[in-house]
Amino acid sequence: RSVMFMRGVYSALRELQQCFTDQPIRILYAGCGPFALLLLPLLQKLSPGKFDIHLLDIHQSSLDSVAQLVDYFSLDQHQIHYIQADACHYQHEKPLHLVIAETMQKSLEQEPQFAVTANLASQILPGGIFVPQKIEVELCLAQLQQELIGIKVASPTDRRSQISGFRRHCLVNLFELNPGNAAEQMQGAAFSAGSSQREIALGSVKIPAIESLASFDAALFTRIRVFSGYRLDDYDSEISLPAKCHELLPLRAGDCYEASYQLGSYPRFNFRKTSPE
């Protein structure tokens, strides 16, 4: 996960340097944590003076930790600023060339990746880059136990072909988090009495009549396009492991559900049954 994001960030920086040759590249790393892991190791490969770096975290202790690492590894020749703020609401003083925001768990649950993206993506200059570029969540019927066994015995190079052989029924591309439309999605959220939170309506889902339905699980599969060709697909990391949808169990052919994405302090997908057996 971290290596794939670092490769994506480095590729994005190189592309931005080619596009913006007459100005320092302004970078905001939101939710940098105590190590700023997706950017700090790359600074040894970057020329000082060509980047204006802003590290943001809600916890001052995390920023203090990063500052110690910057000093220890003699990276203070770079222009680095430390900002203690909430990335869901932070407004930068100038438009940004690059925003890095990796604040997520699998299936966009618990962590504020969506809210951070909706807030910060609109603060990027035309031609700028948001990392990750896209997050997709797909709802499938899958035989998870068999998949986990197959993944464990497969070598990393055989994983893609192993996954293609799994028996799955993809029900719907449930949600796509794209920096270009995240703010619009946020504005379309409405209050739900069921969760007492604002939710984004995602449409209806129907359980199909398939052979051996009881042997399947309903699960969310998360795929991340970090930047360009750098991706995290099924089982590549913890955040792309399938997440079982207990609200759809037991599976019954013909059952219908309304799907939504809940915002607030604990983001998650909700499924509410709309038809009887």
Side-chain angles (χ1 to χ4, degrees), residues 44 68-78:
Q44 295 278 12
Q68 289 181 357
L69 291 172
V70 167
D71 179 65
Y72 181 83
F73 289 106
S74 300
L75 298 173
D76 45 8
Q77 69 270 30
H78 292 277

Side-chain angles (χ1 to χ4, degrees), residues 5 130-136 178 223-233:
F5 265 88
F130 192 101
V131 172
Q133 287 186 306
K134 185 167 67 172
I135 302 169
E136 299 172 297
N178 185 317
R223 290 119 192 186
I224 301 103
R225 185 170 76 197
V226 179
F227 179 72
S228 187
Y230 297 102
R231 298 179 53 90
L232 290 170
D233 290 313

Side-chain angles (χ1 to χ4, degrees), residues 88 103-116 175 177 186 195 197-200 220 247 260-270:
C88 297
T103 56
M104 73 182 89
Q105 300 286 352
K106 59 185 177 182
S107 68
L108 291 173
E109 185 178 63
Q110 185 178 352
E111 297 291 344
Q113 182 73 31
F114 174 80
V116 171
F175 191 67
L177 177 50
M186 177 74 81
S195 64
Q197 299 285 347
R198 294 174 67 225
E199 296 185 3
I200 300 171
L220 298 173
E247 293 164 291
S260 62
Y261 184 65
Q262 173 183 313
L263 307 179
S265 59
Y266 194 104
R268 53 164 293 165
F269 289 96
N270 291 324

Side-chain angles (χ1 to χ4, degrees), residues 127-143:
I129 296 171
F130 192 101
V131 172
Q133 287 186 306
K134 185 167 67 172
I135 302 169
E136 299 172 297
V137 180
E138 186 176 50
L139 175 62
C140 298
L141 301 184
Q143 296 172 315

Side-chain angles (χ1 to χ4, degrees), residues 3 22 27 56 60 77 89 96 104 108 117 139 145 150 155 163 165 170 179 187 203 205 219 256 265 277:
V3 169
D22 59 345
I27 304 167
L56 182 151
Q60 184 60 47
Q77 69 270 30
H89 307 290
L96 297 152
M104 73 182 89
L108 291 173
T117 303
L139 175 62
Q145 190 62 33
S155 67
I163 290 172
C170 296
Q187 292 172 359
V205 176
C256 293
S265 59
E277 163 59 33

Side-chain angles (χ1 to χ4, degrees), residues 1 26 46 51 68 86 95 114 128 137 193 195-196 221 251 270 276:
R1 166 182 177 175
R26 283 190 296 277
L46 302 176
F51 299 91
Q68 289 181 357
D86 185 346
F114 174 80
V137 180
S195 64
S196 298
F221 289 84
L251 295 172
N270 291 324

